[in-house]
């Protein structure tokens, strides 16, 4: 395992750029054959995923696939990794459990401002009581492509499929620290989590994410050992992944190797420049992708409330007449979603959808509404609201930002009946 020094941090390469440079051999062979299918890029993935970056195995799930499952299986779950894998391409390119000896020897260093720094072994984690958390996992860049209606933002042009509803299982973090007499001292304000993966070049930043210790979201965090009832596949962060239910994907660090308690947040560019939202609305040209500071922006933490139409989709070939509109909704899980409203006429009239209780506060909610499709073009829309009155902007472009994060504008689907 490479040594992880937390002071090895650097710059983000370019605008989109959460830095890469080396093309691993497995990716080269894939490129030689022309545009590769998702199943060729990551062994075990379904064919026909929407590939955003073949080199890094970044791909999203078409909604027609996503809607088939209550818990998104590993075969279709979107994938995002920042670094091409340099050591062991076969390991990277598989959704199987990582090699046994690697899992057996996996350790997590708990360090910094704790009573008793030490290293946890995977066996210790496996021996402890486990808890489940069903939570939507969603890339903060999900929906980025929709910002192009104002100005295109660099990076993967995600539609709505950079998300999934996943059952995680593992060891509750706070209880673990207390039991092992490793609670952070009063001086500790931040928890930084680091993954095993390393940037391709020495100037690159490590993938490190910091969490405010005062944030209630951490109370629900687990060191996850299982995803949908099985050991977590390497590409989804096995053997141990930090899961903070309701938080954007980047905050759920895969292949966890370090937990650091400190007075400050990590200097990694993934924390200090990337995965942040400006404090107040910005316009293109006013605020650039590298203008982010700790003062003028906040990390992408809890999911902003969102709803997505799963049916009908344009490819369903819906006919005019009565139709059932269905979809999902979710927020950060701190309060329930109270309403989903649906419009079948481009926002002129809105009807309340029937909203089902979710499996957990962070899972997706299912909703459905009856409507009538006119012959010709119909614009379907949906909008969720929660118990705090938080709702989705009708015009998502008001939240335009230079890195294209946190899209939660009212969803639109055009159906020609
Ligand atoms: N170690 C590590 N953890 C990581 C990342 C990464 O590149 N390295 N990417 C993050 C981002 S941006 C997202 S969206 C999710 C993606 O999780 P998935 O690939 O399991 O869907 O993992 C997060 N955790
Ligand atoms: Mo992400």
């Amino acid at each position: 395992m490479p040594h992880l020094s937390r002071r090895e941090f650097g710059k983000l390469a370019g605008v989109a750029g959460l830095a890469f440079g080396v093309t691993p051999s497995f990716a080269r062979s894939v490129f030689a054959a022309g545009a590769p299918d998702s199943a060729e890029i990551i062994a075990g993935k379904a064919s026909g995923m929407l590939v955003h970056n073949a080199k890094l195995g970044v791909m999203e799930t078409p909604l027609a696939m996503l809607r088939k499952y209550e818990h998104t299986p590993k075969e279709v779950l979107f994938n995002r990794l920042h670094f091409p894998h340099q050591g062991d391409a076969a390991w990277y390119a598989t959704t199987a459990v990582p090699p046994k000896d690697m899992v057996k020897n996996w350790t997590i260093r708990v360090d910094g401002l704790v009573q008793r720094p030490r290293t946890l072994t995977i066996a210790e984690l496996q021996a402890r009581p486990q808890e489940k958390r069903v939570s939507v996992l969603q890339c903060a860049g999900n929906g980025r492509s929709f910002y192009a209606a104002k100005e295109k933002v660099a990076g993967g042009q995600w539609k709505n499929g950079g998300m999934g509803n996943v059952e995680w299982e593992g060891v509750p973090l706070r209880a673990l620290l207390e039991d092992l007499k490793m609670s952070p001292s009063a001086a500790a304000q931040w928890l930084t989590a680091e993954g095993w993966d390393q940037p391709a070049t020495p100037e690159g930043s490590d993938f490190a994410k910091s969490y405010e210790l005062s944030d209630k979201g951490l109370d629900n965090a687990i060191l996850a050992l299982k995803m949908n009832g099985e050991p977590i596949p390497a590409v989804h962060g096995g053997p141990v992944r930090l899961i903070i239910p309701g938080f954007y994907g980047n905050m759920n660090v895969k292949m966890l190797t370090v937990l650091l308690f400190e007075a400050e947040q990590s200097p990694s560019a993934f924390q200090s420049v990337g995965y942040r939202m400006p404090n107040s609305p910005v316009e293109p040209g006013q605020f650039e992708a590298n203008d982010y500071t700790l003062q003028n922006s906040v990390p992408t933490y809890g999911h902003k409330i969102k709803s997505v139409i799963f049916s009908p989709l344009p490819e369903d070939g819906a006919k005019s007449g009565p139709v059932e509109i269905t979809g999902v909704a979710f927020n950060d899980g701190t309060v329930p979603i109270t309403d989903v409203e649906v419009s079948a006429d481009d926002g002129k009239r809105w009807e309340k959808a029937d909203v089902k209780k979710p499996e957990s506060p962070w899972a997706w909610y299912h909703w459905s509404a009856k409507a009538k499709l006119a012959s010709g073009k119909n614009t379907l829309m949906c909008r969720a609201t929660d118990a705090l009155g938080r709702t989705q902007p009708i015009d998502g472009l008001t939240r335009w930002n230079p890195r294209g994060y946190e899209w939660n504008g009212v969803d639109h689907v055009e159906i020609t009946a």
Side-chain angles (χ1 to χ4, degrees):
M1 219 178 292
H3 172 70
L4 293 176
S5 150
R6 86 177 291 284
R7 298 298 157 199
E8 268 170 35
F9 60 90
K11 291 208 162 74
L12 296 174
V15 171
L18 305 167
F20 55 90
V22 174
T23 305
S25 57
F26 80 97
R28 262 201 298 274
S29 60
V30 154
F31 283 138
D37 177 76
S38 46
E40 298 172 82
I41 297 169
I42 300 177
K45 278 289 167 196
S47 188
M49 300 270 289
L50 185 56
V51 176
H52 292 303
N53 186 326
K55 230 194 277 189
L56 303 179
V58 179
M59 54 184 73
E60 72 171 268
T61 320
L63 296 188
M65 263 188 221
L66 192 60
R67 69 184 177 183
K68 285 195 208 159
Y69 310 96
E70 182 49 25
H71 292 164
T72 311
K74 63 185 178 193
E75 290 81 7
V76 309
L77 182 63
F78 82 97
N79 192 66
R80 173 73 170 113
L81 269 174
H82 291 84
F83 311 129
H85 213 275
Q86 302 135 59
D88 183 348
W91 173 79
Y92 176 78
T94 179
T95 54
V97 183
K100 249 205 178 116
D101 55 337
M102 192 172 146
V103 174
K104 217 169 51 205
N105 299 326
W106 196 268
T107 56
I108 298 167
R109 181 164 64 87
V110 185
D111 218 337
L113 302 170
V114 285
Q115 289 148 284
R116 200 161 58 106
R118 55 165 284 190
T119 295
L120 295 169
T121 65
I122 190 113
E124 281 177 284
L125 294 179
Q126 282 162 342
R128 294 188 59 87
Q130 313 282 310
E131 283 182 23
K132 286 182 182 163
R133 306 273 190 269
V134 177
S135 180
V136 170
L137 180 74
Q138 179 192 215
C139 181
N142 195 30
R144 177 182 285 141
S145 64
F146 307 128
Y147 286 119
K150 186 167 222 171
E151 182 165 292
K152 189 176 169 184
V153 172
Q157 294 303 302
W158 299 86
K159 299 180 187 182
N160 275 327
M163 64 174 191
N165 191 46
V166 182
E167 184 195 272
W168 305 99
E169 189 176 341
V171 180
L173 177 65
R174 293 238 198 238
L176 174 78
L177 296 172
E178 269 164 42
D179 287 0
L180 299 181
K181 309 238 171 333
M182 295 170 78
S183 293
S185 70
Q189 307 262 343
W190 295 85
L191 165 59
T192 292
E194 291 184 11
W196 178 79
D197 43 348
Q198 292 274 284
T201 56
E203 319 81 66
S205 250
D206 263 0
F207 193 83
K209 292 302 306 180
S210 302
Y211 311 81
E212 269 166 280
L213 283 172
S214 59
D215 195 301
K216 284 253 178 284
L218 268 189
D219 296 352
N220 310 308
I222 57 171
L223 303 187
L225 300 167
K226 286 187 174 174
M227 179 176 121
N228 298 329
E230 287 179 70
I232 305 175
V235 285
H236 291 298
V240 185
R241 180 171 191 170
L242 179 61
I243 291 293
I244 309 201
F247 275 48
Y248 280 104
N250 64 91
M251 303 303 289
N252 294 262
V253 174
K254 309 202 243 191
M255 301 167 276
L256 185 70
T257 51
V258 179
L259 289 174
L260 208 51
F261 293 88
E262 292 183 301
E264 309 278 349
Q265 55 195 304
S266 170
S268 163
F270 290 99
Q271 177 72 15
S272 59
V273 185
Y275 294 111
R276 304 184 72 83
M277 284 289 282
N279 288 338
S280 42
V282 296
E283 291 296 327
Q286 242 187 20
F287 191 98
E288 307 290 341
N290 287 316
D291 288 345
Y292 290 83
T293 65
L294 299 183
Q295 289 70 40
N296 69 18
S297 60
V298 288
T300 54
Y301 276 164
H303 290 144
K304 295 295 179 298
I305 187 167
K306 185 165 183 172
S307 58
V308 174
I309 295 170
F310 272 4
S311 178
L313 296 172
E315 60 263 43
D316 294 334
K319 299 210 165 56
S320 59
V323 67
E324 186 161 40
I325 305 174
T326 65
V328 295
F330 56 92
N331 64 357
D332 58 7
T334 55
V335 297
I337 289 179
T338 48
D339 286 303
V340 176
E341 296 155 283
V342 175
S343 172
D345 58 4
D346 202 14
K348 286 188 214 64
R349 278 170 307 165
W350 294 84
E351 303 279 349
K352 279 203 175 166
D354 183 28
V355 184
K356 278 219 192 90
K357 264 218 168 88
E359 193 181 353
S360 92
W362 317 282
W364 63 28
Y365 293 59
H366 287 277
W367 53 263
S368 66
K370 290 191 170 39
K372 255 198 177 132
L373 293 182
S375 56
K377 206 183 96 177
N378 297 262
T379 302
L380 314 183
M381 295 160 77
C382 61
R383 177 176 54 186
T385 304
D386 71 17
L388 289 176
R390 297 178 300 186
T391 189
Q392 303 178 244
I394 294 274
D395 178 6
L397 296 174
T398 54
R399 300 192 73 231
W400 184 95
N401 60 94
R403 289 183 180 273
Y405 295 134
E406 296 195 355
W407 172 269
N408 77 332
V410 160
D411 194 26
H412 289 68
V413 173
E414 296 225 325
I415 300 288
T416 306

